Amino acid sequence: MSPAAQDVAKSAFALQDARFGLRDGNLPLAMTAAQTVVALNPDEIEAWYILGTAATSLGDFVAAEQAFGEGARRAMPNTATKAQMLVLQATPLMALGCPAQAVEAVRAAVKIGITDATGQVMAAVALTHAGLPQEALPLLQTATQISPRHVDAWSNLGGVRQFAGDIEGAEAAYESAIKLFGKSFHTAHHALARLRRWTPENNHIARLEALQCSNEQEACGVGFALFKEYDDIGDTVAAWDALQHGAMLARSMTPWSSDDETALVAAWKAHLPPERFTVTDTRPRSGPKRIFVIGLPRSGTTLVERVLAAHSQVQAIGEVKTFGLVIRRLLELPTHASLDAETIAAAMTLDPLAIAEAYTSENAYLSDGSAYTIDKLPNNHEYAGLIRLAFPDAIIIGLDRNPMDSLFGAYKLLFTGAHGWSYTQDDLADHYAHFRDLMGYWKQVMGEGLIEVSLEDLIAVPDTQIRKLMAATGLPFEEACLRPHEAMGAVTTASAGQVRKPINAEGIGAWKRYATQLEPLRQRLSDMGYLT
């Protein structure tokens, strides 16, 4: 047998091993065998597929992105195979914190034509996570037509319809997912509970109570769903019991340390001393003028975003994680790594202009050409000082709300994989102390460069406070800003329902329904001087 024939035979045997490894869950075997195949025959697209799929399952997103990218490059132009590889590439790109590249891959696949429902769902998920749910909507609608029993298609369709304000359509999609069950059924139950206010005559409590959960994640989601629906009908005893169960499970799955947060605040103060803000960097920045809205979750950040987004010169680009991702990328750190004191110290070596230009480049795919864009990620309060250095002319708005309302608002929500401080009353109090400490420091060093907005004042006298806010930002006042519920665009946060109503005081004092149960939190905050 000639050497060439030997290579063909060896490649065929290795491909068979790769198939068996993937089928049997032996992912290291699948990867090793697939690597053998592509070394011998780089045009074997199936091997690139197996290599990327196994690497994704193992969490090796760098290898997965490279494998799917190479498969896409080698696939025949304008074929379903090429489209499939591009869609698959988008998943590790999102995991690596490269949403712009993920969107580019998905759009290329859509242009070719995605023929299967699973591919359309994967493309839609990538677009939604990249802040483009409006582009995801037609893909999901088509996916449910091609495959009416595709549970993930229905569940994700419910989400994007909800973001767009189509509550009836979202409810119908979630119900379709629930009827089909499947791996996402608990997610759909939880999303459905959050969709609207339920009544004693119209709720899902009996169905939720009857669910048999197979793991802690499902039980956690059902616990928060039950809290929401019991709370809606006024059964505060059952609601609190459900919340305690859900929060206990969420806390066990989402590690958080008060000591780590203490170290973060200390690091920001140490590495960004007041003198760093005494000299303004006058080098020009490209792109639109930036508005950053920061604060605690559930403090009114979405409402302020919608007020500003109603302005003719302003575009809201949502809760993008770009600023933190850019810092890690410029430092050549894993994009999923937690912020720590070492990262903060290293970030001080970066040129603020380089940070700004990288941020602008990464977010370019979201821009519609408006003169101003709003980045509304509450957690950006951690980066506020560095944001000021990167964008000396940025408008930075910090929200303030009664801590009992804001913290209870966070406590009763399930933030999947985030905000580990929000699941016990002691952690809520500790985090609030760190938050106030850091925000107080940013106010000290930025002065009027940090615009403070009280949610209670905004709700009490919206006309006066909105005019005051517009004056502080330098934007000319427009009447539309008094009607933020009419602002166009998707809302992808837990406040999606509230901000589509006229400004109202529905959430003010909501914690008092559970005043007895929340007394430990109230007492801690009072002892720390945050309540009068």
Side-chain angles (χ1 to χ4, degrees):
M1 183 182 297
S2 68
Q6 290 177 355
D7 286 348
V8 170
K10 186 177 180 181
S11 176
F13 282 122
L15 183 58
Q16 193 78 336
D17 286 343
R19 291 169 178 158
F20 289 150
L22 192 62
R23 183 198 64 187
D24 298 338
N26 189 341
L27 300 178
L29 170 63
M31 284 192 69
T32 300
Q35 287 166 340
T36 298
V37 176
V38 297
L40 294 167
N41 181 11
D43 290 325
E44 180 53 75
I45 306 301
E46 184 183 358
W48 290 115
Y49 166 80
I50 293 172
L51 180 55
T53 302
T56 299
S57 298
L58 290 169
D60 187 348
F61 297 114
V62 172
E65 190 277 324
Q66 291 173 346
F68 290 135
E70 190 63 22
R73 188 178 73 82
R74 292 179 177 276
M76 293 294 291
N78 300 316
T79 60
T81 298
K82 189 176 185 70
Q84 178 191 37
M85 298 301 284
L86 287 166
V87 169
L88 290 166
Q89 186 185 16
T91 297
L93 280 170
M94 288 301 300
L96 291 169
C98 303
Q101 291 175 256
V103 169
E104 183 181 356
V106 168
R107 286 174 172 170
V110 170
K111 186 175 181 179
I112 294 169
I114 306 171
T115 57
D116 65 298
T118 297
Q120 288 169 329
V121 172
M122 292 179 68
V125 168
L127 290 170
T128 302
H129 288 171
L132 297 169
Q134 68 275 14
E135 286 191 41
L137 181 59
L139 292 172
L140 292 168
Q141 290 172 326
T142 302
T144 59
Q145 294 165 5
I146 293 174
S147 181
R149 297 189 59 79
H150 200 299
V151 65
D152 286 340
W154 287 110
S155 183
N156 283 284
L157 179 59
V160 296
R161 283 177 171 171
Q162 182 177 350
F163 298 154
D166 179 5
I167 303 304
E168 297 297 332
E171 183 177 356
Y174 288 140
E175 286 289 2
S176 294
I178 289 167
K179 288 176 183 176
L180 293 169
F181 288 99
K183 64 180 181 180
S184 296
F185 80 94
H186 66 287
T187 306
H189 280 295
H190 180 246
L192 183 61
R194 300 290 321 163
L195 188 60
R196 65 167 85 221
R197 184 178 295 277
W198 303 101
T199 67
E201 299 75 31
N202 179 25
N203 62 73
H204 314 95
I205 290 173
R207 185 169 69 184
L208 288 166
E209 290 282 14
L211 288 175
Q212 298 294 316
C213 298
S214 60
N215 55 53
E216 288 188 350
Q217 184 179 8
E218 292 183 5
C220 178
V222 171
F224 278 90
L226 279 167
F227 165 79
K228 169 62 168 57
E229 300 215 11
Y230 274 126
D231 183 59
D232 284 349
I233 68 171
D235 189 341
T236 56
V237 173
W240 186 259
D241 286 345
L243 179 58
Q244 297 315 286
H245 183 63
M248 176 190 68
L249 294 173
R251 182 65 175 87
S252 69
M253 294 185 290
T254 317
W256 180 80
S257 165
S258 181
D259 290 342
D260 289 346
E261 213 165 82
T262 300
L264 285 180
V265 175
W268 282 120
K269 291 179 178 180
H271 295 293
L272 281 180
E275 53 266 28
R276 286 294 301 269
F277 300 89
T278 58
V279 178
T280 301
D281 183 348
T282 59
R283 293 175 294 175
R285 270 64 170 165
S286 62
K289 188 166 183 176
R290 305 296 177 180
I291 303 173
F292 291 86
V293 181
I294 59 177
L296 286 173
R298 315 301 295 153
S299 64
T301 55
T302 303
L303 175 57
V304 168
E305 176 197 46
R306 303 315 291 170
V307 167
L308 296 170
H311 196 282
S312 63
Q313 298 182 44
V314 180
Q315 177 197 7
I317 61 174
E319 292 192 351
V320 295
K321 300 177 181 178
T322 309
F323 197 87
L325 289 172
V326 160
I327 298 301
R328 291 172 177 82
R329 190 172 303 146
L330 290 174
L331 293 173
E332 298 183 350
L333 297 173
T335 53
H336 61 275
S338 299
L339 181 64
D340 56 25
E342 290 73 20
T343 302
I344 292 172
M348 297 307 109
T349 67
L350 299 174
D351 181 353
L353 178 60
I355 297 173
E357 294 305 294
Y359 174 94
T360 297
S361 175
E362 186 61 43
N363 279 345
Y365 75 95
L366 291 167
S367 177
D368 66 1
S370 296
Y372 296 75
T373 60
I374 311 168
D375 180 331
K376 187 208 78 75
L377 184 68
N379 276 4
N380 272 339
H381 81 274
E382 293 180 322
Y383 294 98
L386 199 52
I387 287 171
R388 169 60 67 220
L389 297 184
F391 296 101
D393 67 341
I395 298 166
I396 304 178
I397 302 169
L399 266 293
D400 183 43
R401 184 185 186 184
N402 179 297
M404 288 301 295
D405 271 331
S406 188
L407 294 174
F408 176 59
Y411 188 41
K412 66 184 181 179
L413 288 182
L414 175 59
F415 298 100
T416 304
H419 303 320
W421 50 266
S422 67
Y423 302 118
T424 75
Q425 294 190 51
D426 275 337
D427 287 350
L428 287 164
D430 286 346
H431 175 70
Y432 187 71
H434 298 314
F435 169 79
R436 287 290 296 267
D437 187 7
L438 186 56
M439 288 298 290
Y441 182 69
W442 296 142
K443 185 62 178 177
Q444 174 192 334
V445 298
M446 286 191 243
E448 294 183 358
L450 175 59
I451 301 169
E452 296 180 300
V453 174
S454 162
L455 178 63
E456 286 81 9
D457 289 348
L458 179 60
I459 289 173
V461 282
D463 188 294
T464 300
Q465 291 300 315
I466 289 173
R467 291 176 186 273
K468 181 180 177 182
L469 173 62
M470 303 309 291
T473 65
L475 282 163
F477 175 75
E478 293 182 357
E479 288 287 336
C481 295
L482 300 176
R483 303 183 299 277
H485 59 289
E486 297 177 0
M488 301 297 290
V491 181
T492 59
T493 72
S495 304
Q498 293 99 308
V499 297
R500 295 193 185 280
K501 304 175 185 177
I503 295 174
N504 63 76
E506 286 180 5
I508 301 298
W511 72 273
K512 293 178 181 178
R513 296 197 303 276
Y514 299 91
T516 301
Q517 297 94 326
L518 290 169
E519 178 58 20
L521 175 61
R522 192 206 65 78
Q523 189 62 57
R524 282 283 315 276
L525 294 174
S526 179
D527 291 345
M528 290 188 287
Y530 296 125
L531 294 176
T532 57

